[in-house]
Every structure is written in C-alpha cells, then in structure tokens.
Amino acid sequence: MATILIHPDMRSAIIATAERLLLTAKAKPGAVLGLATGGTMEPVYQELVEQAARKRLSFAGLTTFNLDEYVGLAGDHPQSYRSTMNRLLFDHVDLPREQTHLPRGDAEDPSVEARAYEAAIEAAGGIDLQLLGIGRNGHLGFNEPSSSLASSTRIKKLASSTLKANARFFGDDERMPTHAITMGIGTIMRARKLLMLAIGDSKADAVAAALEGPVTTSCPASILQFHPDVTVVLDQEAASCLKLRDFYEDIHPGGQEVYFAGTR
Ligand code: PGA
C-alpha cells in the first residue's frame, strides 16, 4: 500500500513535500530527480529554494528530468515548462543548467525528441525520486485517460478538461498548445520512488479513484497501486473522498510518518 499522508492543511503538505526532496538531495547528492510543473508545485519549489538557502544545501550534483513539455513552445517561451522551471527553481539554486532536462517542445521531430528523452533518462541511471501532481481527470504528466499503462515518453494530445484547466496560464491572445511530449506511465513507474502531492477539493475525486478505485486506463494515476514505493501527500480537502481516510489517519496521524520499531 502507498504511504498516504493526510496533512492538517495545505502549507504543511507543501513543506512535507519540499522536505522529502531536500532529504533525497542530502542523502544522495548525485540523485536523479523527476520534477513536475503545475500550480500545485509552485509553492513547493518556493519552499525548496528557501530551505536550500537556509540549510546551505547544494544541488550541484543533482540531475533532473521534468515530466513533460508543450509541443510547439520553445524553451524561452514564457509559458513553456522550461521557462517555468527556470523561473521557479533553476534560477535560484546552484544546479548547473546542463544537468536539468525537459523535452524540447520546439524539436524538429517531437517523436524523435521523445525517444531521445526516454534514452537520456535511462543513460542517467533512471530516476531516484519522481515528483508527481495529479490532474482532475486522473492524469499523470500529460498521460490522459486511455493512456497505455506501459507507455514510454511520447507525444500525447491534451484532453479538453486539461486544456480548460491549464488555460489560466495562457493570455487571451495566446494560442495554447494542444499536444505535449510526456514521460509515459511506464517511464514514471520505472522511477525507484514516487512522491505525489495533491491539494484542494478539485482533486478529491481523482485522488480517491487513483488510490482506492480499480487500476484502469480511465484513471492513469491508479497505476500507482502497482508501484512498490509510493508516498502520497494530501491536504484535508484532497483527502475528502477517500473511503479509508480514518485508517490512513490512524496510521499516520497528522500526516506524520510513524515508523514501526519492531518487536524487540
Ligand atoms: P495542477 O496540475 O497542479 O496545476 O493542478 C497538476 C496536474 O495536472 O498534474
């Protein structure tokens, strides 16, 4: 079973997520981190930058791979995920830019780019910890419902609900991309550890379907049930549709990890 940590509020869930990333960076300075974008992650990166500065923690040895990028947007387009990551995280830490990876949205042949991206992850030794958000429709990265649960990095068309949810990041006169290059569900599942963060009641149904529903392509995040090392960090609202919520809170009161010390 996944470790399900239900925090008293959003702030505490965000701090706990940032702390897990920091712990990984500290425990394994050469770690390969999988990163994610989306509104949920913005305060996480802010917290990460602040804590790294406060604790004088270096990110210089890390390698990062983001989940996805919009097809058609160059890295210097303000709405590209490359620009977003630079603005939120990479500009503020000592991580050399060449160790940060996102698919190139403006690649001449996006399919070739997708295959090269998958190969680059493998060449880096695979991902130690993959950070994940979840879409209201249960998507992971841009693996929309119906995505193959064994897929590798490739081009995906965005679902209309995703286009609607992400339109807020684009101006009225900007054309929002309709496709993305995204790590596949298989790519995500090959990461050694997964860390999913969901905040707010708009995610409650997707979280419940992912953690307690059947494993199905209708909810790509439900594949997490098959991963051996998943931590899910939630606030109260995102946890509100979980049937076994009391049980999870019993195991991890206040979202804290309580370690079983054994019987000796
Ligand atoms: P959000 O996106 O954080 O902007 O809600 C998450 C996702 O779609 O995976």
Side-chain angles (χ1 to χ4, degrees), residues 1-7 17 20 132 134 194-198 207 210-211 221 224 229-235 238 242 252 255:
M1 184 181 122
T3 300
I4 301 172
L5 305 174
I6 303 173
H7 282 260
T17 304
R20 278 169 177 272
L132 297 167
I134 182 171
L194 301 179
L195 173 60
M196 189 173 93
L197 171 66
V207 166
L211 301 181
L224 298 188
D229 192 342
V230 188
T231 301
V232 180
V233 179
L234 305 170
D235 68 351
L242 289 169
H252 301 292

Side-chain angles (χ1 to χ4, degrees), residues 26-230:
K26 205 168 159 188
K28 188 173 177 187
V32 179
L33 291 184
L35 299 177
T37 46
T40 311
M41 298 305 160
E42 294 188 12
V44 173
Y45 294 135
Q46 202 181 340
E47 185 65 29
L48 197 61
V49 167
E50 283 173 18
Q51 289 212 30
R54 211 176 318 131
K55 295 177 178 163
R56 296 177 198 277
L57 190 67
S58 174
F59 288 170
L62 297 179
T63 300
T64 68
F65 287 91
N66 264 76
L67 282 169
D68 44 22
E69 179 61 282
Y70 290 115
V71 170
L73 298 194
D76 59 359
H77 187 288
Q79 258 54 262
S80 71
Y81 284 160
R82 162 51 81 184
S83 286
T84 305
M85 287 305 298
N86 288 350
R87 196 170 58 243
L88 294 175
L89 181 64
F90 302 148
D91 285 348
H92 312 287
V93 291
D94 63 346
L95 173 57
R97 199 55 57 91
E98 62 274 17
Q99 286 162 223
T100 68
H101 304 273
L102 285 94
R104 283 179 306 122
D106 62 346
E108 202 175 312
D109 185 335
S111 299
V112 171
E113 173 68 9
R115 284 195 295 277
Y117 197 70
E118 186 76 30
I121 294 172
E122 222 176 287
I127 292 170
D128 290 302
L129 176 68
Q130 176 68 53
L131 179 63
L132 297 167
I134 182 171
R136 290 160 212 223
N137 62 359
H139 73 197
L140 290 181
F142 278 126
N143 294 281
E144 305 287 21
S146 84
S147 291
S148 157
L149 299 180
S151 48
S152 292
T153 306
R154 70 219 183 290
I155 302 167
K156 286 295 289 180
K157 185 165 169 44
L158 309 188
S160 56
S161 62
T162 301
L163 289 168
K164 214 166 120 194
N166 287 7
R168 70 189 195 279
F169 295 112
F170 290 82
D172 291 342
D173 52 349
E174 279 180 312
R175 207 182 61 81
M176 193 185 156
T178 53
H179 291 72
I181 300 176
T182 181
M183 280 187 201
I185 300 282
T187 320
I188 293 168
M189 289 295 282
R190 285 189 281 279
R192 289 181 271 283
K193 280 179 190 282
L194 301 179
L195 173 60
M196 189 173 93
L197 171 66
I199 297 290
D201 55 11
S202 67
K203 301 293 173 68
D205 285 332
V207 166
L211 301 181
E212 297 180 335
V215 175
T216 163
T217 57
S218 303
C219 176
S222 62
I223 193 69
L224 298 188
Q225 295 175 42
F226 274 120
H227 195 285
D229 192 342
V230 188

